[in-house]
Amino acid sequence: MTSRSRPPGDDSAEPAESAGQSVPGTASAELLRSEPGARPRALVLSAGLVSAGAVALAAGALLPVVRAGSPGFTAWPVLVVLALAPAAAVLHAVVTGRAGLASGLVLGLTALAPGRLLLDLQLLADGSLAARPELFLADRLLALPPAGPGLWALVAGHLLTLAAGAFAAGTARDEAELAGELDGRRRWRLLGPVLGVVGGLGLLLPPLGSGNAYLLAKNAFEGPTVAMAGYLLLAALLPLTVLVAVSSPSAGVGKGGFAGAALAALAVGVPQVLAGLIVDRLSVAPGSVVVTLAGLALLGLAFTRFDGAEAGEAATGDLAGEARLPGLFWWRLATGALALLAAVSAVVGALTPVLKANGATPVPETPARWLLLGAAVVLAVPALFVFVPRLSAFARGVVAATWVGVVLAGAAVLSAALSVTEDKAVDPASFGVDLPVLPDKIGFSAGPGVTWTFISLALAAVAALTAVITGVVERDDDAADAADDGSRTSGNVLTPVVAAAVLAVAAFGTPVFTAPGYTAPGLWSDFGAASWGLLGALAVVLGLYALVVRSRPVAAASALTGAALVLGLRAAELPLVGSEYDGASAGMGFWLALSAAVVSFVAAGMAVAGSRRSG
């Protein structure tokens, strides 16, 4: 008997369904085994497609991906295991009647399949630029090496995995309906999105260290176009997949999503770690290590309880409410600490050299470093108040906005460094090959400021996620509920919020200052690496505005205050950066950003004032 056919007064099956467990004999198991509808058949078909895709991926590991080419080490045993293990897990879940777990596994694998497909397609676009020593490592200069049969097997495997996800989605939706509403007390599972962000950041770092002239290991932004698209897609989809999994009401779907995403991440990270350990002139780099550790941690979380009520909580009665407080304390501590670490890293990145000369050439400094210093201050001040109990909730909301200021300024710093170092000279001796040495080696390479700036970006992103998760925990906590009366923000705030949103779009899309010979990065034209910082800051600010009307007054005020500080940082680009250019003058973006910041502050005051009048 399923939940759809059970009489209204029969609650005997509710505990198992509300926990999202799919064990033999429960409604979800009956849905898989007994009912002749499309969903059970779809799940079986999905498992078959995943299995076929796994066989194709294993074949791709055995066959040459480049004609007349070979891998850098004997990697096929590991690659075959990484390909077949997810399919074995899906088949086991189907056979044992755990439909939620099976569908979650498939969807986790499917979500990361497009990024993995693009990584493999780099071998087709230009295999000589692909940093994939587990599949191909050149031993001579090759111009566009032709694809081999193994590559087509890999492509087929990813496409079959994508097809499997289309059939598994319906079963996952059914499992969510059977489970009911999300319990909201999966606090340890909230670590999953944090691990997803950490793994995503690892995907952006260089996967290998290389002293081989035929394999130039670069980070995602410096690598070839197709591989860059793959790494960026993986870095975005890994945390998103985990976030969707943890928000599923079905425990089975949540566990499966964690495990599927983890296995896909391990398939990317583990071969690179092994290559760094085994292959001559290659070394292990932090990127692949971070991805591997994040994947293992996600896999470990998939084996923990996903039930809404843990066994210990169910037995302690009123003590369950007291058990929440340490969880909130630790989340707030993590938010404040990570934000402060990000600010400190930004300060070090701003004060240390961004570039170093390869010769006697004078080293230029980027004016954007002062904007990064300002972003560190804007983030550090509210982060300090996160540790003050009475102000923690408000300060946490501000931190959830001001972290993007580090992204805004850091992208400008990294863009300046990239534009100078992209054509730097290379010393052939550093690659262990006998090539003519340039008589006058000139140019620049990245200095320690670039490393610290990237670290600040990573820490700021993780701090933002912990701030959001802390907000979720605060809403579940009685102490946080006592901070306001639970009412929504007054509708009067809508007008200034809309006005601020329009001004913000224009502020980030137009130059803050103009100067002779200076071309400002933009969103509509002159789009460059620094423009990604503008785009990210605008997206965060607009997202905050969209959440205001659905938030409690105090939360709305903190979000609007954070948005105002980000816009103020945008306006501060005129004195902080523009002062380094001769003849600089205020542009339209300065006045627009300043106006948007003022309107945001006014809206924040209206949100709090409206709450007091209604009380």
Side-chain angles (χ1 to χ4, degrees), residues 46 49-50 52-54 56 155-165:
S46 177
L49 288 171
V50 164
V155 171
H158 296 311
L159 293 178
L160 288 169
T161 304
L162 286 170

Side-chain angles (χ1 to χ4, degrees), residues 202-271:
L203 289 164
L204 302 179
L205 297 172
L208 294 162
S210 177
N212 188 323
Y214 305 112
L215 193 155
L216 301 180
K218 301 179 179 180
N219 63 45
F221 301 101
E222 297 176 328
T225 303
V226 180
M228 178 185 69
Y231 280 120
L232 292 178
L233 193 58
L234 285 171
L237 289 178
L238 178 58
L240 180 61
T241 302
V242 178
L243 185 61
V244 171
V246 81
S247 64
S248 174
S250 169
V253 174
K255 289 184 176 184
F258 270 43
L263 290 171
L266 290 174
V268 176
V270 170

Side-chain angles (χ1 to χ4, degrees), residues 86-371:
V90 172
L91 291 175
H92 181 266
V94 170
V95 171
T96 55
R98 287 175 282 187
L101 180 62
S103 58
L105 273 164
V106 173
L107 292 178
L109 294 167
T110 299
L112 271 64
R116 295 177 62 190
L117 174 61
L118 288 173
L119 293 184
D120 290 341
L121 287 178
Q122 179 59 52
L123 293 165
L124 178 64
D126 189 350
S128 64
L129 299 178
R132 302 293 300 277
E134 75 276 15
L135 295 174
F136 169 66
L137 181 60
D139 56 1
R140 61 189 183 279
L141 293 177
L142 296 172
L144 298 177
L151 176 58
W152 303 116
L154 293 175
V155 171
H158 296 311
L159 293 178
L160 288 169
T161 304
L162 286 170
F167 289 99
T171 301
R173 185 166 55 249
D174 285 346
E175 288 292 312
E177 292 176 359
L178 288 169
E181 295 183 359
L182 179 64
D183 180 87
R185 294 169 68 182
R186 302 177 177 181
R187 298 198 177 175
W188 285 112
R189 262 55 63 197
L190 293 176
L191 288 172
V194 176
L195 293 171
V197 170
V198 172
L201 293 172
L203 289 164
L204 302 179
L205 297 172
L208 294 162
S210 177
N212 188 323
Y214 305 112
L215 193 155
L216 301 180
K218 301 179 179 180
N219 63 45
F221 301 101
E222 297 176 328
T225 303
V226 180
M228 178 185 69
Y231 280 120
L232 292 178
L233 193 58
L234 285 171
L237 289 178
L238 178 58
L240 180 61
T241 302
V242 178
L243 185 61
V244 171
V246 81
S247 64
S248 174
S250 169
V253 174
K255 289 184 176 184
F258 270 43
L263 290 171
L266 290 174
V268 176
V270 170
Q272 303 282 12
V273 173
L274 293 177
L277 293 172
I278 297 173
V279 181
D280 187 32
R281 296 192 180 279
L282 298 184
S283 60
V284 177
S288 55
V289 173
V290 169
V291 174
T292 301
L293 293 178
L296 291 173
L298 283 173
L299 194 60
L301 281 179
F303 285 94
T304 60
R305 288 180 60 90
F306 266 60
D307 303 74
E310 299 288 347
E313 293 175 342
T316 55
D318 293 339
L319 294 178
E322 297 179 7
R324 297 183 189 183
L325 292 177
L328 178 58
F329 168 79
W330 288 112
W331 278 112
R332 284 176 171 173
L333 179 64
T335 300
L338 286 168
L340 287 176
L341 287 174
V344 170
S345 300
V347 170
V348 177
L351 299 180
T352 54
V354 175
L355 299 171
K356 59 181 180 180
N358 293 334
T361 308
V363 180
E365 293 290 348
T366 169
R369 68 189 187 279
W370 302 119
L371 185 64

Side-chain angles (χ1 to χ4, degrees), residues 161-601:
T161 304
L162 286 170
F167 289 99
T171 301
R173 185 166 55 249
D174 285 346
E175 288 292 312
E177 292 176 359
L178 288 169
E181 295 183 359
L182 179 64
D183 180 87
R185 294 169 68 182
R186 302 177 177 181
R187 298 198 177 175
W188 285 112
R189 262 55 63 197
L190 293 176
L191 288 172
V194 176
L195 293 171
V197 170
V198 172
L201 293 172
L203 289 164
L204 302 179
L205 297 172
L208 294 162
S210 177
N212 188 323
Y214 305 112
L215 193 155
L216 301 180
K218 301 179 179 180
N219 63 45
F221 301 101
E222 297 176 328
T225 303
V226 180
M228 178 185 69
Y231 280 120
L232 292 178
L233 193 58
L234 285 171
L237 289 178
L238 178 58
L240 180 61
T241 302
V242 178
L243 185 61
V244 171
V246 81
S247 64
S248 174
S250 169
V253 174
K255 289 184 176 184
F258 270 43
L263 290 171
L266 290 174
V268 176
V270 170
Q272 303 282 12
V273 173
L274 293 177
L277 293 172
I278 297 173
V279 181
D280 187 32
R281 296 192 180 279
L282 298 184
S283 60
V284 177
S288 55
V289 173
V290 169
V291 174
T292 301
L293 293 178
L296 291 173
L298 283 173
L299 194 60
L301 281 179
F303 285 94
T304 60
R305 288 180 60 90
F306 266 60
D307 303 74
E310 299 288 347
E313 293 175 342
T316 55
D318 293 339
L319 294 178
E322 297 179 7
R324 297 183 189 183
L325 292 177
L328 178 58
F329 168 79
W330 288 112
W331 278 112
R332 284 176 171 173
L333 179 64
T335 300
L338 286 168
L340 287 176
L341 287 174
V344 170
S345 300
V347 170
V348 177
L351 299 180
T352 54
V354 175
L355 299 171
K356 59 181 180 180
N358 293 334
T361 308
V363 180
E365 293 290 348
T366 169
R369 68 189 187 279
W370 302 119
L371 185 64
L372 183 60
L373 191 62
V377 174
V378 170
L379 178 60
V381 171
L384 291 173
F385 288 100
V386 172
F387 301 107
V388 181
R390 293 180 61 86
L391 301 175
S392 181
F394 185 88
R396 190 271 315 161
V398 178
V399 169
T402 54
W403 71 276
V404 81
V406 176
V407 177
L408 175 66
V413 172
L414 295 177
S415 173
L418 182 63
S419 64
V420 175
T421 60
E422 59 186 1
D423 293 325
K424 66 185 179 186
V426 177
D427 184 2
S430 64
F431 292 100
V433 294
D434 186 15
L435 295 176
V437 178
L438 298 176
D440 297 316
K441 191 180 67 170
I442 60 173
F444 304 96
S445 57
V450 171
T451 302
W452 283 105
T453 300
F454 192 89
I455 291 173
S456 69
L457 293 176
L459 290 172
V462 179
L465 186 56
T466 56
V468 173
I469 294 174
T470 304
V472 175
V473 178
E474 285 174 349
R475 285 193 293 272
D476 294 338
D477 192 89
D478 295 336
D481 292 339
D484 55 63
D485 59 3
S487 61
R488 299 295 181 185
T489 304
S490 171
N492 295 332
V493 180
L494 182 60
T495 299
V497 166
V498 171
V502 174
L503 291 171
V505 172
F508 285 105
T510 54
V512 171
F513 69 91
T514 58
Y518 171 75
T519 302
L523 295 178
W524 331 121
S525 60
D526 300 309
F527 194 94
S531 301
W532 289 104
L534 296 173
L535 188 61
L538 176 60
V540 170
V541 169
L542 293 180
L544 293 170
Y545 289 149
L547 293 174
V548 163
V549 294
R550 298 177 58 87
S551 303
R552 297 185 177 106
V554 173
S558 64
L560 288 167
T561 302
L565 291 175
V566 174
L567 287 161
L569 182 66
R570 171 65 171 163
E573 187 177 339
L574 173 61
L576 294 177
V577 180
S579 60
E580 298 285 323
Y581 293 88
D582 295 332
S585 60
M588 184 60 67
F590 171 78
W591 303 110
L592 292 169
L594 204 59
S595 301
V598 171
V599 174
S600 297
F601 275 127

